[in-house]
Amino acid sequence: MVFEYRYEQAGRYAARAAVRLVESLIDRGYYPAKELEVDLDDLRELKAEASLGVTTEAILEAAIARNIPWVELPARRVVQLGTGIYQTRIQAAQTNNTGILGIEMAGDKEATITLLRAANIPVPRGEVIYHRDDLRQAIDAIGGYPIVLKPLDGNHGRGITLNITNLYDAEDAYRGAERASKSGAVMVERFYQGRDFRVLVVNGKVVAVAERTPAHVVGDGQSTIAELVEETNADPRRGNGHENVLTRITIDAHSKQLLEQQGYTLGSIPAKGEVCYLKATANLSTGGIAIDRTDDIHPENIWLAQRAAKIIGLDIAGIDITSPAIDRPLREVDGVIVEVNAAPGLRMHLEPSEGKPRNVAAPIVEMLYPPGRPTRVPIVAITGTNGKTTTTRLIAHLFRQTGQTVGYTTTDGTYIGDFLAEAGDNTGPQSAQLILQDPTVEVAVLETARGGILRSGLAFNQCDVGVVLNLSEDHLGLGDINTLEDMAKVKGVVAEATSPTGYVVLNADDPLVYGMANRVKAKVAYFSMNPWNPIIWEHVRDGGLAAIYEEGTLSILTGLEVIRVEQAANIPMTLNGMAPFMIANALAAALAAYVQGVHVEDISTALRTFEASVDQTPGRMNLIPVNDFHVLLDYAHNPASYEAMGSFVRNWTAGERIGVIGAPGDRRDQDFRKLGQLAAQFFDRVILKEDDDTRGRNRGDVADLIRAGIRQENPEFHYETILNEVEAIETALVKASAGSLVVVLPESVNRALSLIQQPRMAVAKV
């Protein structure tokens, strides 16, 4: 069974709960209602823990609608939109463009009021005090009662008391405001009669207006206030905190005090239609409701709100207005702007209790990514059986010719520019995310292996170029991938994830690879070592793009036009044209760069300056001179890569060809026997060794199976078995004669290099 989930922990929990439910039905014939309710409560809790919140998720939905990728970063619930140098970040309705000075100013209510008053914007008369003894004097200074007391640096309505009409209540409210104030400062303001409005300003424009009403219940003449609260909280739109459109009403000491001021207790039965307020402030987080008033706001009030946001310095601002009517200028009705809030919540506008919902997240995304601004760096994803790492490194080298910072992942590590960011076999989505989250990366080149796709999928929802090099028997029998056709479906994920505006680069010499063209939405470009491949010529006759190797030259075909890129003899990685599979890798890489706009001259330069060396492609066809012979270091580990490497070894005629061979233990028995057969075809003699990590096999089993293949191919073939890799390499180096070629297929490239390059080998030979 396959099912989809949004939150991983909740998805896994649901799967386990479903199994428990079915087993209970089978064993007992029923599933206890209490157990089901526990399951549902646990799932709700998991959702609440994993949820990014209404505001953030609304912005993400708007980003997804624009096909903008996103990922949650591992700190402070910050979310990244876009990739590489085109990324932006949000934390709820706060963006990386939100200035810290604006946030600080909005958090200082006295500074906010002072700045707005200086700009001749209607604001409340107020005084800031630090001691309760100054309360009476402050009240007199602002003209007497009614007043509002609130913490100078508070938020979300904490510590605010409205419509205070006497000194006793004022002193009590002062204590609450003082506790909620970080600095101990309390703002004393005139209480302005009117309704509570929130005006949302994004990028200097008013995008929504809501009227907020404090948490309340309406009497029916029969129910107590406590029962009315319970009935109100039963609304499915209400939840805990910010998880739902509305928040459940909670009764606290402040609620009881407010009811007392209205002449009620929780046990009172208010008359039908009577409104009983349970909170003094209209915040949705305390159970308030919102009514959309976007179409009602007066143009002068729009102008004032937009000015206020600019004066305080916020790209996204919630302007709180107290006024008898929002459709009349504030000056005419004694209305005032009471606060300017940074990172305002959006849910009152997204799904108001009454009125038209407003998609206020879209303007935020539009601000971050105005028309024409890129949202993601180009992604080139490379997959296949053999040659992935070399091709990835070559493509990265090609893009570096353009002067861009290239981030790339390989089996050797993750690189950004010229530096290693993380060592290891990094060909899965986690390593790719490191590249896509880096704000310096301008191009991402990602080696994409089978294992990562099967375990975790891809790190991207689409790439700009998908390259599939080849398919051969490797890793079969693992992860329920038993045939080449199965493997083609796995590798084909990269091709299918290529953007419709991008290109899939496919090997026209491999039927399972070129067959992927039928399943992709992207444009297709083929490469082939056969200049007369009928698939190539049919494709270019139809105006398609291709790359071929003909008469010693790598060429790109655009329709019927032939662009000569470079001669193979001038490309170091092809070992003077003696390594055909390296030529194929170069064709694929050149085509991938070409479709992304890299100039042919830059492609040619990159091909001439890229070497199969231990510096640029460690462990990939590294031909190393040692005294009077050569060592070829290569990570061939399956029949196809053995054959590719063998195409070069066969051309070596200067001396004896010695192989130090083995393979990872998680291959099939027939794969090891095939390796033995191939080795007997192009080596003069071999030393059989094994990896330190036998991957679940008994020590010596792999060597025995390869030996069986050698005997099957040539019973007289000369071989010896030295299971320890270090001893096997040292033995081959000591026994190599002048002109010989020693081919080492190592488990550890770095260890093999240190053995090959150490001077004691020369001494040992003497």
Side-chain angles (χ1 to χ4, degrees), residues 140-410:
D140 292 339
I142 64 173
Y145 300 101
I147 64 168
V148 177
L149 284 176
K150 55 186 174 183
L152 180 64
D153 47 9
N155 53 39
H156 299 296
R158 298 185 183 95
I160 297 177
T161 306
L162 307 177
N163 198 16
I164 303 169
T165 58
N166 58 75
L167 184 59
Y168 176 81
D169 289 341
E171 290 179 338
D172 187 55
Y174 179 88
R175 285 189 286 269
E178 187 180 37
R179 284 194 298 270
S181 174
K182 298 175 184 176
S183 61
V186 174
M187 174 75 80
V188 183
E189 289 181 346
R190 280 286 306 277
F191 177 69
Y192 288 80
Q193 297 290 341
R195 291 138 68 190
D196 185 306
F197 297 96
R198 165 62 65 84
V199 180
L200 181 65
V201 179
V202 177
N203 199 26
K205 301 293 182 184
V206 169
V207 297
V209 181
E211 178 182 352
R212 300 182 296 178
T213 303
H216 66 277
V217 293
V218 180
D220 60 7
Q222 298 177 347
S223 306
T224 66
I225 291 177
E227 290 169 341
L228 291 170
V229 170
E230 187 176 346
E231 181 182 340
T232 300
N233 283 339
D235 185 337
R237 295 178 299 170
R238 290 190 182 268
N240 296 318
H242 294 272
E243 66 179 22
N244 283 24
V245 178
L246 297 173
T247 300
R248 292 189 180 96
I249 300 172
T250 57
I251 302 297
D252 54 19
H254 179 69
S255 304
K256 294 175 182 177
Q257 181 183 13
L258 193 60
L259 284 173
E260 185 179 343
Q261 293 173 4
Q262 300 169 76
Y264 297 114
T265 67
L266 287 174
S268 300
I269 300 176
K272 187 173 183 179
E274 186 75 23
V275 177
C276 304
Y277 289 98
L278 298 156
K279 302 292 180 183
T281 58
N283 297 70
L284 266 65
S285 59
T286 58
I289 65 170
I291 303 168
D292 179 66
R293 301 295 187 192
T294 305
D295 295 332
D296 300 335
I297 187 170
H298 191 276
E300 183 174 315
N301 296 338
I302 292 176
W303 172 68
L304 287 173
Q306 291 174 171
R307 283 186 66 210
K310 287 282 189 180
I311 289 166
I312 300 304
L314 294 173
D315 58 341
I316 304 172
I319 313 296
D320 287 344
I321 294 176
T322 297
S323 176
I326 199 67
D327 58 355
R328 295 178 62 189
L330 299 187
R331 299 179 197 280
E332 291 183 5
V333 293
D334 198 26
V336 289
I337 292 179
V338 295
E339 281 189 34
V340 177
N341 298 278
L346 304 184
R347 64 174 177 160
M348 71 183 76
H349 308 294
L350 295 165
E351 296 189 59
S353 309
E354 299 177 25
K356 181 180 178 181
R358 305 288 175 171
N359 182 8
V360 294
I364 294 175
V365 175
E366 189 80 6
M367 173 184 67
L368 296 173
Y369 291 100
R373 182 186 175 185
T375 63
R376 58 179 83 206
V377 297
I379 297 175
V380 182
I382 302 95
T383 194
T385 301
N386 297 307
K388 297 187 296 297
T389 297
T390 298
T391 306
T392 297
R393 284 180 169 273
L394 175 55
I395 292 173
H397 183 67
L398 285 161
F399 276 104
R400 277 203 292 268
Q401 307 307 307
T402 65
Q404 299 179 92
T405 298
V406 183
Y408 60 101
T409 61
T410 72

Side-chain angles (χ1 to χ4, degrees), residues 388-629:
K388 297 187 296 297
T389 297
T390 298
T391 306
T392 297
R393 284 180 169 273
L394 175 55
I395 292 173
H397 183 67
L398 285 161
F399 276 104
R400 277 203 292 268
Q401 307 307 307
T402 65
Q404 299 179 92
T405 298
V406 183
Y408 60 101
T409 61
T410 72
T411 54
D412 307 318
T414 300
Y415 296 82
I416 297 175
D418 297 326
F419 300 97
L420 176 67
E422 182 183 20
D425 186 350
N426 299 336
T427 56
Q430 287 76 24
S431 302
Q433 279 293 351
L434 188 153
I435 295 297
L436 297 176
Q437 291 174 22
D438 191 280
T440 67
V441 168
E442 296 173 274
V443 180
V445 183
L446 309 175
E447 181 178 345
T448 308
R450 163 207 62 90
I453 295 174
L454 289 174
R455 284 190 301 272
S456 307
L458 300 174
F460 47 84
N461 61 354
Q462 64 180 36
C463 57
D464 299 276
V465 182
V467 181
V468 186
L469 296 172
N470 46 59
L471 280 171
S472 61
E473 295 184 347
D474 192 23
H475 295 105
L476 296 183
L478 301 175
D480 293 327
I481 305 302
N482 299 310
T483 67
L484 273 178
E485 288 72 19
D486 291 341
M487 188 64 75
K489 292 178 181 177
V490 176
K491 304 283 188 179
V493 168
V494 170
E496 293 167 32
T498 306
S499 164
T501 60
Y503 271 92
V504 176
V505 176
L506 300 176
N507 186 345
D509 299 331
D510 190 321
L512 286 174
V513 174
Y514 67 68
M516 295 177 186
N518 299 322
R519 305 196 301 273
V520 304
K521 297 178 182 177
K523 293 170 282 189
V524 176
Y526 292 111
F527 67 94
S528 175
M529 291 292 290
N530 175 12
W532 303 111
N533 186 315
I535 292 170
I536 295 287
W537 288 104
E538 181 180 353
H539 184 62
V540 296
R541 276 197 301 268
D542 292 336
L545 188 65
I548 59 171
Y549 180 59
E550 39 93 28
E551 298 180 355
T553 301
L554 284 72
S555 301
I556 292 175
L557 309 179
T558 60
L560 296 179
E561 180 187 2
V562 179
I563 302 173
R564 310 290 184 189
V565 178
E566 190 55 72
Q567 293 183 342
N570 297 332
I571 303 174
M573 64 178 284
T574 70
L575 302 179
N576 202 31
M578 295 170 62
F581 67 97
M582 284 293 200
I583 299 174
N585 292 341
L587 286 172
L591 201 50
Y594 183 81
V595 299
Q596 272 293 297
V598 180
H599 297 305
V600 172
E601 294 79 7
D602 290 332
I603 295 174
S604 176
T605 299
L607 292 175
R608 292 196 306 271
T609 56
F610 184 82
E611 298 184 6
S613 65
V614 295
D615 294 325
Q616 290 188 311
T617 58
R620 269 71 183 177
M621 291 298 288
N622 305 144
L623 189 61
I624 305 167
V626 179
N627 299 325
D628 54 359
F629 63 94

